[in-house]
Protein backbone atom coordinates (compact mmCIF):
# COMPACT_ATOMS: atom_id res chain seq x y z
CA UNK A 1 0.00 0.00 0.00
CA UNK A 2 2.82 2.35 0.90
CA UNK A 3 4.62 1.66 -2.40
CA UNK A 4 1.40 2.21 -4.36
CA UNK A 5 1.02 5.65 -2.79
CA UNK A 6 4.59 6.53 -3.75
CA UNK A 7 4.01 5.42 -7.36
CA UNK A 8 0.70 7.32 -7.54
CA UNK A 9 2.32 10.52 -6.35
CA UNK A 10 5.10 10.15 -8.92
CA UNK A 11 2.58 9.72 -11.75
CA UNK A 12 0.54 12.73 -10.61
CA UNK A 13 3.64 14.90 -10.50
CA UNK A 14 4.36 14.38 -14.18
CA UNK A 15 1.32 16.41 -15.08
CA UNK A 16 2.39 19.61 -13.34
CA UNK A 17 3.23 22.01 -16.18
CA UNK A 18 3.06 25.75 -16.65
CA UNK A 19 0.89 27.85 -19.00
CA UNK A 20 1.72 31.22 -20.51
CA UNK A 21 -0.42 34.34 -20.72
CA UNK A 22 -1.21 35.81 -24.14
CA UNK A 23 -3.36 38.83 -23.45
CA UNK A 24 -0.75 41.51 -23.90
CA UNK A 25 -1.20 44.96 -22.38
CA UNK A 26 1.24 47.68 -21.54
CA UNK A 27 3.33 50.54 -22.85
CA UNK A 28 6.35 50.60 -25.15
CA UNK A 29 8.81 53.46 -25.47
CA UNK A 30 10.51 53.80 -28.81
CA UNK A 31 13.86 54.46 -27.15
CA UNK A 32 13.83 50.65 -26.91
CA UNK A 33 14.49 49.78 -30.52
CA UNK A 34 12.89 46.32 -30.45
CA UNK A 35 10.20 44.65 -28.33
CA UNK A 36 9.41 40.96 -28.53
CA UNK A 37 5.90 40.21 -27.30
CA UNK A 38 5.20 36.51 -27.46
CA UNK A 39 5.48 33.16 -29.16
CA UNK A 40 2.05 31.59 -29.66
CA UNK A 41 1.03 28.26 -31.15
CA UNK A 42 -1.95 28.41 -33.51
CA UNK A 43 -3.94 25.27 -34.22
CA UNK A 44 -4.23 23.61 -37.62
CA UNK A 45 -6.97 25.24 -39.70
CA UNK A 46 -9.81 22.99 -40.80
CA UNK A 47 -10.23 23.58 -44.52
CA UNK A 48 -13.99 22.98 -44.17
CA UNK A 49 -14.41 25.44 -41.29
CA UNK A 50 -11.77 28.12 -41.76
CA UNK A 51 -13.54 30.92 -39.91
CA UNK A 52 -13.97 29.00 -36.67
CA UNK A 53 -10.65 27.12 -36.62
CA UNK A 54 -8.16 29.77 -37.72
CA UNK A 55 -6.23 31.88 -35.23
CA UNK A 56 -6.75 35.57 -34.54
CA UNK A 57 -4.48 38.35 -33.34
CA UNK A 58 -6.35 41.56 -32.73
CA UNK A 59 -6.42 44.62 -30.52
CA UNK A 60 -5.48 48.26 -30.24
CA UNK A 61 -2.14 50.00 -30.49
CA UNK A 62 -1.96 53.77 -30.44
CA UNK A 63 -0.10 56.74 -28.97
CA UNK A 64 -1.03 60.07 -27.41
CA UNK A 65 2.05 61.62 -28.97
CA UNK A 66 1.69 64.08 -31.86
CA UNK A 67 4.71 62.60 -33.63
CA UNK A 68 4.25 61.53 -37.26
CA UNK A 69 6.93 58.84 -37.04
CA UNK A 70 5.68 55.32 -37.64
CA UNK A 71 6.90 51.95 -36.44
CA UNK A 72 6.00 48.40 -37.44
CA UNK A 73 4.08 45.61 -35.80
CA UNK A 74 5.43 42.31 -37.13
CA UNK A 75 3.62 38.96 -36.94
CA UNK A 76 5.47 36.09 -38.66
CA UNK A 77 6.01 32.36 -38.33
CA UNK A 78 9.37 30.81 -37.50
CA UNK A 79 10.47 30.50 -41.12
CA UNK A 80 10.66 34.29 -41.44
CA UNK A 81 11.22 35.25 -37.83
CA UNK A 82 14.68 33.82 -37.16
CA UNK A 83 16.54 35.95 -39.73
CA UNK A 84 14.56 39.02 -38.72
CA UNK A 85 15.27 38.44 -35.02
CA UNK A 86 18.96 37.63 -35.55
CA UNK A 87 19.61 40.90 -37.38
CA UNK A 88 17.93 43.07 -34.73
CA UNK A 89 21.28 43.53 -32.96
CA UNK A 90 23.00 45.13 -35.96
CA UNK A 91 24.09 48.69 -35.21
CA UNK A 92 24.55 49.94 -38.76
CA UNK A 93 22.12 52.32 -40.42
CA UNK A 94 20.91 49.45 -42.62
CA UNK A 95 19.79 47.23 -39.74
CA UNK A 96 16.11 47.65 -40.64
CA UNK A 97 16.75 46.61 -44.24
CA UNK A 98 18.69 43.57 -43.02
CA UNK A 99 15.93 42.57 -40.62
CA UNK A 100 13.24 42.70 -43.27
CA UNK A 101 15.23 41.35 -46.22
CA UNK A 102 13.54 37.92 -46.11
CA UNK A 103 10.13 39.15 -44.97
CA UNK A 104 9.98 41.62 -47.89
CA UNK A 105 10.03 38.74 -50.40
CA UNK A 106 6.53 37.66 -49.37
CA UNK A 107 4.96 40.41 -47.21
CA UNK A 108 2.02 42.49 -48.39
CA UNK A 109 2.12 46.26 -47.97
CA UNK A 110 -0.57 48.67 -49.16
CA UNK A 111 2.03 51.12 -50.51
CA UNK A 112 5.16 49.16 -51.36
CA UNK A 113 4.27 45.49 -51.93
CA UNK A 114 0.72 45.21 -53.22
CA UNK A 115 1.56 41.83 -54.78
CA UNK A 116 2.76 40.34 -51.50
CA UNK A 117 1.07 37.12 -50.40
CA UNK A 118 1.53 37.25 -46.61
CA UNK A 119 -0.18 39.62 -44.20
CA UNK A 120 2.73 40.16 -41.79
CA UNK A 121 3.01 43.92 -41.17
CA UNK A 122 1.06 46.83 -39.66
CA UNK A 123 2.10 50.47 -39.47
CA UNK A 124 1.77 51.74 -35.94
CA UNK A 125 0.72 53.64 -33.92
CA UNK A 126 -2.81 53.54 -35.25
CA UNK A 127 -4.84 56.77 -34.91
CA UNK A 128 -6.65 57.10 -31.60
CA UNK A 129 -10.31 56.15 -32.16
CA UNK A 130 -9.34 55.13 -35.69
CA UNK A 131 -8.10 52.10 -37.64
CA UNK A 132 -4.61 51.07 -38.65
CA UNK A 133 -3.86 52.19 -42.24
CA UNK A 134 -4.00 48.61 -43.60
CA UNK A 135 -7.63 48.24 -42.45
CA UNK A 136 -9.09 51.57 -43.49
CA UNK A 137 -10.17 50.19 -46.86
CA UNK A 138 -11.51 46.88 -45.44
CA UNK A 139 -12.86 47.55 -41.93
CA UNK A 140 -15.18 44.54 -42.18
CA UNK A 141 -12.20 42.22 -41.65
CA UNK A 142 -11.61 43.62 -38.17
CA UNK A 143 -12.74 42.03 -34.92
CA UNK A 144 -15.22 44.50 -33.42
CA UNK A 145 -13.60 47.14 -31.22
CA UNK A 146 -10.07 46.53 -32.53
CA UNK A 147 -7.80 48.70 -34.66
CA UNK A 148 -6.11 45.79 -36.37
CA UNK A 149 -6.73 42.07 -36.91
CA UNK A 150 -4.58 39.22 -38.19
CA UNK A 151 -6.20 36.00 -39.35
CA UNK A 152 -3.74 33.12 -39.01
CA UNK A 153 -4.30 30.07 -41.21
CA UNK A 154 -2.33 26.90 -41.82
CA UNK A 155 -4.18 23.90 -43.22
CA UNK A 156 -1.12 21.63 -42.93
CA UNK A 157 -0.07 21.74 -39.28
CA UNK A 158 -0.16 23.73 -36.03
CA UNK A 159 2.56 26.35 -36.02
CA UNK A 160 4.21 28.87 -33.72
CA UNK A 161 3.90 32.54 -34.65
CA UNK A 162 5.94 35.41 -33.21
CA UNK A 163 4.75 38.95 -32.54
CA UNK A 164 7.02 41.96 -32.05
CA UNK A 165 7.41 45.73 -32.43
CA UNK A 166 10.34 47.52 -34.04
CA UNK A 167 11.18 51.16 -34.79
CA UNK A 168 11.48 50.52 -38.52
CA UNK A 169 9.26 51.86 -41.27
CA UNK A 170 9.04 52.12 -45.04
CA UNK A 171 10.09 55.43 -46.56
CA UNK A 172 6.94 56.71 -48.28
CA UNK A 173 7.58 60.44 -48.79
CA UNK A 174 10.97 60.58 -50.47
CA UNK A 175 10.50 59.43 -54.07
CA UNK A 176 14.18 58.55 -54.48
CA UNK A 177 14.25 56.16 -51.54
CA UNK A 178 10.60 55.17 -51.50
CA UNK A 179 9.84 51.79 -49.92
CA UNK A 180 13.28 51.45 -48.38
CA UNK A 181 13.40 50.54 -44.71
CA UNK A 182 14.78 53.10 -42.26
CA UNK A 183 15.07 53.46 -38.50
CA UNK A 184 12.46 55.84 -37.08
CA UNK A 185 13.96 56.17 -33.61
CA UNK A 186 13.77 59.87 -32.77
CA UNK A 187 15.23 62.04 -30.07
CA UNK A 188 11.74 62.39 -28.64
CA UNK A 189 10.80 59.18 -26.88
CA UNK A 190 7.33 58.13 -28.08
CA UNK A 191 5.16 56.07 -25.75
CA UNK A 192 2.85 53.54 -27.40
CA UNK A 193 -0.05 51.86 -25.60
CA UNK A 194 -1.02 48.36 -26.66
CA UNK A 195 -3.79 45.89 -25.84
CA UNK A 196 -3.47 42.73 -27.91
CA UNK A 197 -5.25 39.35 -27.84
CA UNK A 198 -3.93 36.11 -29.35
CA UNK A 199 -6.56 33.37 -29.55
CA UNK A 200 -7.29 30.04 -31.20
CA UNK A 201 -10.71 30.11 -32.85
CA UNK A 202 -13.33 32.64 -33.87
CA UNK A 203 -13.88 35.38 -31.23
CA UNK A 204 -17.55 35.59 -32.30
CA UNK A 205 -18.36 31.90 -31.79
CA UNK A 206 -20.72 31.47 -28.85
CA UNK A 207 -19.93 27.81 -28.30
CA UNK A 208 -16.12 28.07 -28.20
CA UNK A 209 -14.32 26.01 -25.58
CA UNK A 210 -13.26 28.53 -22.90
CA UNK A 211 -10.51 26.12 -21.78
CA UNK A 212 -8.80 26.25 -25.18
CA UNK A 213 -9.62 29.67 -26.66
CA UNK A 214 -6.94 31.67 -24.79
CA UNK A 215 -4.24 29.00 -24.85
CA UNK A 216 -1.37 28.44 -27.22
CA UNK A 217 -1.75 25.15 -29.09
CA UNK A 218 0.99 23.48 -27.05
CA UNK A 219 -0.96 24.25 -23.86
CA UNK A 220 -4.38 23.08 -25.03
CA UNK A 221 -6.16 20.86 -22.44
CA UNK A 222 -3.98 22.26 -19.65
CA UNK A 223 -7.03 23.29 -17.61
CA UNK A 224 -8.71 19.88 -17.89
CA UNK A 225 -5.49 18.08 -16.88
CA UNK A 226 -4.98 20.25 -13.81
CA UNK A 227 -8.60 19.90 -12.74
CA UNK A 228 -8.53 16.09 -13.06
CA UNK A 229 -5.42 15.80 -10.91
CA UNK A 230 -6.65 18.44 -8.48
CA UNK A 231 -9.75 16.30 -7.90
CA UNK A 232 -7.54 13.21 -7.50
CA UNK A 233 -5.47 14.97 -4.85
CA UNK A 234 -8.63 16.23 -3.12
CA UNK A 235 -9.41 12.55 -2.54
CA UNK A 236 -5.88 11.25 -1.90
CA UNK A 237 -4.61 13.93 0.52
CA UNK A 238 -7.44 13.62 3.12
CA UNK A 239 -7.08 9.84 2.99
CA UNK A 240 -3.35 10.19 3.60
CA UNK A 241 -3.91 12.57 6.52
CA UNK A 242 -6.39 10.09 8.00
CA UNK A 243 -3.80 7.30 7.61
CA UNK A 244 -1.08 9.37 9.28
CA UNK A 245 -3.38 10.30 12.13
CA UNK A 246 -3.80 6.61 12.95
CA UNK A 247 -0.12 5.71 12.55
CA UNK A 248 2.40 8.47 13.21
CA UNK A 249 5.40 6.99 11.38
CA UNK A 250 8.31 9.26 10.20
CA UNK A 251 8.15 8.00 6.61
CA UNK A 252 4.38 8.40 6.37
CA UNK A 253 4.75 11.94 7.72
CA UNK A 254 7.31 12.66 5.00
CA UNK A 255 5.00 11.18 2.35
CA UNK A 256 2.16 13.31 3.67
CA UNK A 257 4.29 16.44 3.37
CA UNK A 258 5.19 15.47 -0.23
CA UNK A 259 1.53 14.98 -1.12
CA UNK A 260 0.45 18.20 0.57
CA UNK A 261 3.08 20.26 -1.28
CA UNK A 262 2.10 18.63 -4.57
CA UNK A 263 -1.56 19.34 -3.80
CA UNK A 264 -0.70 22.96 -2.99
CA UNK A 265 1.23 23.29 -6.25
CA UNK A 266 -1.61 21.88 -8.32
CA UNK A 267 -4.16 24.06 -6.52
CA UNK A 268 -2.17 27.22 -7.28
CA UNK A 269 -1.75 26.17 -10.91
CA UNK A 270 -5.50 25.51 -11.17
CA UNK A 271 -6.13 29.06 -9.94
CA UNK A 272 -3.69 30.37 -12.55
CA UNK A 273 -5.03 28.44 -15.55
CA UNK A 274 -8.70 29.01 -14.69
CA UNK A 275 -8.18 32.75 -14.49
CA UNK A 276 -6.05 32.59 -17.63
CA UNK A 277 -8.83 30.76 -19.48
CA UNK A 278 -11.12 33.75 -19.00
CA UNK A 279 -8.83 36.77 -19.15
CA UNK A 280 -5.74 35.56 -21.04
CA UNK A 281 -3.45 36.68 -18.21
CA UNK A 282 -3.82 34.37 -15.23
CA UNK A 283 -1.98 34.79 -11.92
CA UNK A 284 1.72 34.53 -12.63
CA UNK A 285 2.67 34.44 -8.94
CA UNK A 286 0.41 31.44 -8.38
CA UNK A 287 2.01 29.70 -11.34
CA UNK A 288 5.52 30.36 -10.04
CA UNK A 289 4.84 29.39 -6.41
CA UNK A 290 2.88 26.32 -7.55
CA UNK A 291 5.78 25.07 -9.63
CA UNK A 292 8.25 25.72 -6.81
CA UNK A 293 6.02 23.72 -4.43
CA UNK A 294 6.02 20.86 -6.93
CA UNK A 295 9.83 20.96 -7.18
CA UNK A 296 10.23 20.80 -3.39
CA UNK A 297 7.69 17.96 -3.27
CA UNK A 298 9.64 15.98 -5.85
CA UNK A 299 12.92 16.51 -3.98
CA UNK A 300 11.32 15.37 -0.71
CA UNK A 301 10.08 12.27 -2.51
CA UNK A 302 13.66 11.53 -3.63
CA UNK A 303 14.84 11.96 -0.03
CA UNK A 304 12.16 9.57 1.18
CA UNK A 305 13.17 6.93 -1.36
CA UNK A 306 16.79 7.20 -0.24
CA UNK A 307 15.73 6.78 3.39
CA UNK A 308 13.66 3.72 2.49
CA UNK A 309 16.60 2.24 0.54
CA UNK A 310 18.79 2.73 3.60
CA UNK A 311 16.19 0.93 5.71
CA UNK A 312 15.70 3.84 8.08
CA UNK A 313 12.88 3.10 10.58
CA UNK A 314 12.25 -0.17 8.71
CA UNK A 315 15.25 -2.40 9.46
CA UNK A 316 17.28 0.07 11.53
CA UNK A 317 16.61 3.17 13.59
CA UNK A 318 20.06 4.71 13.20
CA UNK A 319 20.92 5.85 9.70
CA UNK A 320 24.44 5.52 8.34
CA UNK A 321 26.03 8.49 6.53
CA UNK A 322 23.27 10.79 7.75
CA UNK A 323 25.20 14.00 7.14
CA UNK A 324 26.22 12.93 3.62
CA UNK A 325 22.66 11.92 2.72
CA UNK A 326 21.15 15.24 3.74
CA UNK A 327 24.00 17.24 2.21
CA UNK A 328 23.55 15.52 -1.18
CA UNK A 329 19.78 15.98 -0.98
CA UNK A 330 20.12 19.68 -0.09
CA UNK A 331 22.54 20.20 -2.99
CA UNK A 332 20.11 18.53 -5.40
CA UNK A 333 17.26 20.71 -4.14
CA UNK A 334 19.36 23.83 -4.74
CA UNK A 335 20.27 22.65 -8.24
CA UNK A 336 16.62 22.00 -9.06
CA UNK A 337 15.52 25.43 -7.85
CA UNK A 338 18.41 27.05 -9.72
CA UNK A 339 17.35 25.23 -12.89
CA UNK A 340 13.77 26.48 -12.41
CA UNK A 341 14.97 30.09 -12.09
CA UNK A 342 17.38 29.67 -15.01
CA UNK A 343 14.58 28.34 -17.18
CA UNK A 344 12.46 31.40 -16.48
CA UNK A 345 15.19 34.02 -16.73
CA UNK A 346 17.88 32.84 -19.14
CA UNK A 347 16.24 30.55 -21.72
CA UNK A 348 15.06 32.52 -24.72
CA UNK A 349 11.42 31.61 -25.43
CA UNK A 350 12.21 31.92 -29.13
CA UNK A 351 14.54 28.93 -29.01
CA UNK A 352 12.90 25.50 -29.20
CA UNK A 353 14.80 24.06 -26.26
CA UNK A 354 13.84 23.07 -22.74
CA UNK A 355 15.79 23.30 -19.50
CA UNK A 356 17.43 19.91 -19.99
CA UNK A 357 19.16 21.16 -23.14
CA UNK A 358 21.18 23.72 -21.18
CA UNK A 359 24.27 23.25 -19.00
CA UNK A 360 22.34 23.69 -15.71
CA UNK A 361 19.89 21.07 -16.98
CA UNK A 362 22.68 18.64 -17.86
CA UNK A 363 24.26 19.19 -14.45
CA UNK A 364 20.97 18.62 -12.63
CA UNK A 365 20.22 15.53 -14.71
CA UNK A 366 23.69 14.12 -14.00
CA UNK A 367 23.18 14.77 -10.30
CA UNK A 368 19.83 13.00 -10.46
CA UNK A 369 21.30 9.98 -12.23
CA UNK A 370 24.03 9.80 -9.56
CA UNK A 371 21.36 9.76 -6.85
CA UNK A 372 19.53 6.99 -8.76
CA UNK A 373 22.70 4.87 -8.86
CA UNK A 374 23.21 5.53 -5.14
CA UNK A 375 19.62 4.46 -4.49
CA UNK A 376 20.12 1.19 -6.40
CA UNK A 377 23.38 0.47 -4.55
CA UNK A 378 21.64 1.03 -1.22
CA UNK A 379 18.97 -1.54 -2.20
CA UNK A 380 21.59 -4.28 -2.59
Amino acid sequence: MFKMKVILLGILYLFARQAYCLHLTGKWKTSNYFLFFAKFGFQKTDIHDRINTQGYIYGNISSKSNSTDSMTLVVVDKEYFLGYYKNRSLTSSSNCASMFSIIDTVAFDTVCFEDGQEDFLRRIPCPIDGLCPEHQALPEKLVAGSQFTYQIQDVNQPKFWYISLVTCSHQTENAKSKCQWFNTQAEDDIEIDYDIWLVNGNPYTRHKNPFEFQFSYDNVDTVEIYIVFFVAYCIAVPLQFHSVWKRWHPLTRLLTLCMFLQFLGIFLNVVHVLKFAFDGVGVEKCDMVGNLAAIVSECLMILMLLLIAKGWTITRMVMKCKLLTFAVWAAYLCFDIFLFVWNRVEIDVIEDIDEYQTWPGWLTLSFRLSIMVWFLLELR
Side-chain angles (χ1 to χ4, degrees):
M1 183 65 183
F2 181 75
K3 290 183 177 179
M4 287 300 296
K5 289 179 180 178
V6 173
I7 293 171
L8 175 62
L9 183 61
I11 293 173
L12 295 180
Y13 175 78
L14 294 177
F15 290 88
R17 295 289 183 266
Q18 82 178 47
Y20 300 91
C21 62
L22 266 300
H23 179 200
L24 309 168
T25 58
K27 300 179 183 293
W28 174 55
K29 293 186 177 182
T30 56
S31 57
N32 299 316
Y33 168 68
F34 178 84
L35 174 64
F36 174 73
F37 276 133
K39 166 185 171 184
F40 191 82
F42 288 100
Q43 64 193 5
K44 178 182 176 181
T45 306
D46 184 349
I47 195 171
H48 302 295
D49 189 17
R50 289 179 183 269
I51 298 299
N52 293 320
T53 58
Q54 65 187 1
Y56 287 82
I57 301 175
Y58 61 94
N60 300 290
I61 184 163
S62 57
S63 174
K64 297 177 182 177
S65 170
N66 295 322
S67 174
T68 58
D69 291 333
S70 63
M71 300 81 197
T72 303
L73 172 65
V74 183
V75 175
V76 291
D77 61 25
K78 185 175 182 179
E79 179 182 357
Y80 298 99
F81 182 77
L82 293 181
Y84 158 81
Y85 182 71
K86 180 180 178 181
N87 289 323
R88 80 194 188 285
S89 58
L90 296 178
T91 57
S92 66
S93 58
S94 62
N95 59 344
C96 288
S98 300
M99 290 177 70
F100 287 91
S101 59
I102 299 177
I103 294 175
D104 279 347
T105 61
V106 294
F108 170 81
D109 184 88
T110 53
V111 176
C112 298
F113 303 110
E114 294 184 356
D115 296 329
Q117 300 298 312
E118 299 291 349
D119 184 23
F120 286 160
L121 311 175
R122 295 288 185 276
R123 290 190 188 87
I124 58 133
C126 306
I128 296 178
D129 299 324
L131 306 180
C132 290
E134 292 80 3
H135 290 285
Q136 291 174 358
L138 296 169
E140 64 274 9
K141 290 190 174 182
L142 287 169
V143 172
S146 63
Q147 295 177 308
F148 71 90
T149 297
Y150 287 88
Q151 298 178 10
I152 310 296
Q153 298 184 19
D154 194 318
V155 297
N156 297 315
Q157 62 184 354
K159 187 179 289 186
F160 283 112
W161 286 68
Y162 303 79
I163 179 170
S164 61
L165 292 173
V166 64
T167 58
C168 294
S169 181
H170 278 127
Q171 177 65 262
T172 57
E173 297 179 359
N174 190 328
K176 185 176 180 180
S177 58
K178 186 175 181 180
C179 292
Q180 292 183 8
W181 286 100
F182 70 104
N183 192 330
T184 57
Q185 269 186 309
E187 293 183 1
D188 296 330
D189 196 9
I190 302 171
E191 188 174 78
I192 294 178
D193 301 301
Y194 58 85
D195 185 350
I196 303 171
W197 291 84
L198 297 88
V199 299
N200 270 302
N202 188 351
Y204 294 115
T205 301
R206 292 184 179 180
H207 304 293
K208 57 180 175 285
N209 185 344
F211 295 152
E212 295 182 1
F213 183 63
Q214 305 281 7
F215 290 89
S216 176
Y217 180 79
D218 56 321
N219 286 315
V220 167
D221 297 329
T222 301
V223 178
E224 292 92 329
I225 291 172
Y226 273 123
I227 289 176
V228 166
F229 285 91
F230 175 70
V231 171
Y233 271 100
C234 283
I235 298 171
V237 171
L239 290 175
Q240 178 62 22
F241 270 102
H242 178 70
S243 174
V244 170
W245 185 262
K246 286 189 171 184
R247 187 176 181 182
W248 200 247
H249 190 277
L251 288 177
T252 58
R253 279 186 284 175
L254 188 55
L255 175 62
T256 303
L257 179 59
C258 291
M259 294 183 69
F260 175 75
L261 286 174
Q262 192 64 250
F263 172 71
L264 176 64
I266 291 179
F267 169 73
L268 291 174
N269 277 285
V270 166
V271 172
H272 168 64
V273 297
L274 282 177
K275 186 175 183 295
F276 176 85
F278 292 99
D279 67 5
V281 177
V283 186
E284 189 66 20
K285 288 183 180 179
C286 283
D287 177 51
M288 183 175 65
V289 175
N291 281 289
L292 279 173
I295 288 172
V296 175
S297 173
E298 178 195 6
C299 291
L300 285 172
M301 176 65 71
I302 290 173
L303 174 62
M304 187 183 70
L305 291 174
L306 280 174
L307 295 177
I308 292 173
K310 285 178 170 292
W312 182 63
T313 71
I314 300 173
T315 59
R316 65 182 67 143
M317 295 305 296
V318 179
M319 182 173 57
K320 294 181 179 180
C321 304
K322 181 178 180 180
L323 183 60
L324 176 62
T325 301
F326 283 96
V328 170
W329 174 78
Y332 176 73
L333 175 62
C334 292
F335 271 114
D336 237 12
I337 293 175
F338 173 72
L339 179 61
F340 173 76
V341 175
W342 174 276
N343 185 39
R344 284 183 170 260
V345 176
E346 293 295 330
I347 293 183
D348 194 339
V349 68
I350 293 160
E351 300 179 21
D352 291 327
I353 63 173
D354 61 27
E355 60 266 36
Y356 291 108
Q357 292 175 289
T358 63
W359 69 264
W362 298 333
L363 192 59
T364 304
L365 189 59
S366 299
F367 207 153
R368 192 168 195 163
L369 289 172
S370 300
I371 293 176
M372 182 191 71
V373 172
W374 185 16
F375 169 78
L376 293 174
L377 291 174
E378 290 288 349
L379 286 176
R380 292 179 60 187

